[in-house]
Amino acid sequence: VANYLKSDFKSSVKHYQEALKLFSSLKDTLEIAKANLNIATTYSASGEHQYTITYALKALRLFEKIKEENGQGRVNNLLGMVY
């Protein structure tokens, strides 16, 4: 988060991807979805919209799978801003 606030998007993505690997090894679907959303949000802030869409859709599928409506709403909001 600190790197994101400093606009150090490359470092932010790197750390979020490390978190994604950890949560994947733990098979924690909610945290995997959140990590994907964080990566998508970071790519959005840096203007890399194709990556934003890719990670946002991964997050959306997981949020839908576990019926996490708040997460679904956050992803749909992000996708709406990108499109």
Side-chain angles (χ1 to χ4, degrees):
V1 173
N3 289 319
Y4 178 86
L5 295 174
K6 292 189 293 186
S7 298
D8 186 357
F9 301 121
K10 187 175 181 177
S11 290
S12 295
V13 168
K14 178 183 169 219
H15 292 294
Y16 287 136
Q17 287 177 332
E18 289 171 5
L20 180 59
K21 287 179 188 176
L22 173 65
F23 295 134
S24 294
S25 72
L26 297 173
K27 299 182 180 173
D28 188 332
T29 303
L30 177 60
E31 295 303 325
I32 294 168
K34 287 179 183 179
N36 276 295
L37 178 56
N38 287 336
I39 294 169
T41 301
T42 303
Y43 278 127
S44 177
S46 69
E48 297 183 64
H49 298 301
Q50 186 56 46
Y51 289 119
T52 301
I53 294 166
T54 299
Y55 281 94
L57 292 176
K58 288 179 184 182
L60 182 59
R61 283 191 290 276
L62 292 170
F63 284 131
E64 289 173 342
K65 179 179 177 180
I66 60 173
K67 300 180 185 344
E68 168 51 52
E69 293 181 356
N70 183 47
Q72 292 174 49
R74 290 178 57 208
V75 172
N76 286 323
N77 184 53
L78 178 61
L79 288 170
M81 291 189 305
V82 171
Y83 286 111

